[in-house]
Amino acid sequence: MPKKKTAPDYVLLVATIALLVIGLIMVYSASAAWANYRFDDSFFFAKRQMFFAGIGVIAMLIMMRVDYWTWRTWAKVILIICFILLVIVLIPGVGLVRGGARSWLGVGAFSIQPSEFMKMAMIAFLAKYLSENQKKIISFKKGLVPSLSLVMVAFAMIMLQPDLGTGAVMVGTCVIIVFVAGARLSHFAWLGVAGLVGFIGLIASAPYRIKRITSFMDPWSDPLGSGFQIIQSLYAIGPGGLMGMGLGESRQKYFYLPEPQTDFIFAILSEELGFIGGFIVLLLFGILLWRGIRIALGAPDLFGSFLAVGIISMVAIQVMINIGVVTGLMPVTGITLPLLSYGGSSLTLMLVSIGVLLNISRYVR
């Protein structure tokens, strides 16, 4: 291993902390009315988010100092543990059901979502496998199929919950890693056709997914049903204008937009802080993406490069899907906005991932 630099990428660190702080402020602002109504405590969601943010920041700082090659050593073990958790979460009476999905493990209000951690486990495993077998990736049978077979098994298990959003992010991230590793475009063409057929099958197998597609095409065809969230999200973004209505002044968070602190937090941010606020958030994500790409290009070995590509791809895909859904450019799916949306597992996992990225940056040439 090359000599480690003493300092991580401080631009990436500052952008991450800035997004985290904005997220904490917006979680409180977006959730205060709902939290006060449901729990008689307007700070209920904000306090929990601060708790997980604290854990996540500590984990990020630890990961920033732990040699990223540790992930290569433990990649298989971590992946096996995550597969076991995906099995356990499907057991009736053990896995917790929320929003129609059996995706959580835990007791009461404190729980984890194993599918979130599977994303990072799969990134680490693929980075290890491809760095050791890169020459095989040009072969469909010897390279591409083995690389993506475990990904599809994990995707199938996540779909049993079901959680199409998380599964789609994981698959998209892994496909990008495999592509960067050197897989042939012709192979991706065949996989793309198969994936499209499978995706259509998944949509057709669940009536609520079909409704989401139809509501995406014309949300006003069912304004009180499948189109409700999209319409209310647009009602939030529109009045925000250039400067916004002011922090805390959102109208849509008052029981119009369901649980606005989670997947639709960007709509409330746009309503309160306007185009400028939304632009600043997207700019910070752009900085994060830019520094992540720089780290991936400058990593001293293939494992570090593939690991960085996976982490930054995961962030980018989640941001694009979430913003696309909130602005009505994509069908509604349950994808959180990294570092901003309420959610302990997603926030902790994201900060851990960025901690790994920061550690890789200490070796950048």
Side-chain angles (χ1 to χ4, degrees):
M1 287 292 293
K3 185 177 180 181
K4 187 193 309 184
K5 291 184 177 181
T6 57
D9 189 325
Y10 284 121
V11 175
L12 173 63
L13 180 60
V14 170
T16 300
I17 297 300
L19 285 167
L20 182 61
V21 171
I22 293 172
L24 290 172
I25 294 171
M26 290 311 306
V27 164
Y28 169 70
S29 180
S31 68
W34 174 245
N36 189 59
Y37 169 77
R38 186 175 177 183
F39 302 103
D40 198 27
D41 179 6
S42 60
F43 287 91
F44 178 83
F45 293 106
K47 288 187 293 187
R48 288 171 56 81
Q49 188 77 342
M50 289 184 66
F51 173 77
F52 284 110
I55 293 177
V57 168
I58 293 172
M60 179 181 71
L61 295 176
I62 292 174
M63 288 297 103
M64 186 172 69
R65 296 179 177 276
V66 173
D67 182 359
Y68 71 88
W69 268 54
T70 304
W71 286 84
R72 181 172 186 163
T73 303
W74 293 95
K76 290 183 179 179
V77 175
I78 294 171
L79 186 67
I80 291 171
I81 292 173
C82 286
F83 267 115
I84 292 173
L85 291 176
L86 286 183
V87 172
I88 293 175
V89 80
L90 294 174
I91 300 174
V94 178
L96 302 177
V97 179
R98 295 177 184 173
R102 191 183 300 276
S103 303
W104 286 266
L105 290 173
V107 178
F110 289 92
S111 57
I112 63 169
Q113 193 173 2
S115 58
E116 286 287 340
F117 295 96
M118 174 56 83
K119 292 188 294 188
M120 188 60 194
M122 195 60 72
I123 289 171
F125 178 79
L126 264 188
K128 170 183 168 62
Y129 177 82
L130 292 172
S131 63
E132 296 173 352
N133 300 275
Q134 191 190 18
K135 293 182 179 179
K136 296 180 180 179
I137 197 62
I138 60 174
S139 169
F140 185 81
K141 292 183 179 180
K142 296 181 179 180
L144 194 60
V145 171
S147 298
L148 294 180
S149 56
L150 272 178
V151 177
M152 299 317 297
V153 171
F155 177 73
M157 295 180 69
I158 292 173
M159 285 306 301
L160 291 175
Q161 299 179 7
D163 187 353
L164 179 59
T166 301
V169 171
M170 183 190 70
V171 172
T173 299
C174 293
V175 167
I176 292 175
I177 298 174
V178 173
F179 174 75
V180 170
R184 291 181 174 176
L185 286 174
S186 58
H187 294 164
F188 276 108
W190 287 107
L191 285 176
V193 172
L196 180 61
V197 172
F199 186 72
I200 293 173
L202 286 173
I203 293 173
S205 65
Y208 75 91
R209 294 191 189 119
I210 297 176
K211 288 183 178 180
R212 286 182 176 181
I213 296 296
T214 56
S215 66
F216 159 68
M217 300 300 293
D218 182 14
W220 280 270
S221 64
D222 187 13
L224 297 179
S226 57
F228 185 78
Q229 283 183 301
I230 296 178
I231 292 173
Q232 298 305 318
S233 178
L234 295 176
Y235 280 164
I237 295 173
L242 181 64
M243 302 294 293
M245 300 178 68
L247 185 62
E249 298 300 318
S250 165
R251 292 190 294 244
Q252 291 301 105
K253 67 184 179 183
Y254 288 99
F255 316 114
Y256 292 103
L257 188 59
E259 298 199 39
Q261 73 276 6
T262 55
D263 302 343
F264 285 84
I265 194 169
F266 188 77
I268 302 301
L269 184 146
S270 298
E271 184 182 11
E272 296 189 347
L273 304 181
F275 174 83
I276 292 177
F279 176 78
I280 290 173
V281 167
L282 293 180
L283 178 63
L284 289 170
F285 277 122
I287 293 172
L288 197 152
L289 177 61
W290 161 51
R291 303 306 288 186
I293 293 173
R294 179 179 176 275
I295 292 167
L297 291 173
D301 56 19
L302 286 176
F303 174 71
S305 181
F306 294 156
L307 190 62
V309 166
I311 293 171
I312 203 62
S313 297
M314 176 178 65
V315 176
I317 291 172
Q318 285 195 213
V319 171
M320 286 189 293
I321 293 178
N322 181 275
I323 300 298
V325 168
V326 168
T327 55
L329 298 176
M330 296 181 68
V332 174
T333 185
I335 295 293
T336 57
L337 187 58
L339 301 172
L340 270 77
S341 293
Y342 172 77
S345 294
S346 59
L347 179 61
T348 304
L349 180 277
M350 194 57 60
L351 288 169
V352 166
S353 302
I354 292 174
V356 176
L357 196 60
L358 287 166
N359 181 261
I360 301 173
S361 75
R362 302 179 71 178
Y363 294 90
V364 167
R365 291 169 293 190

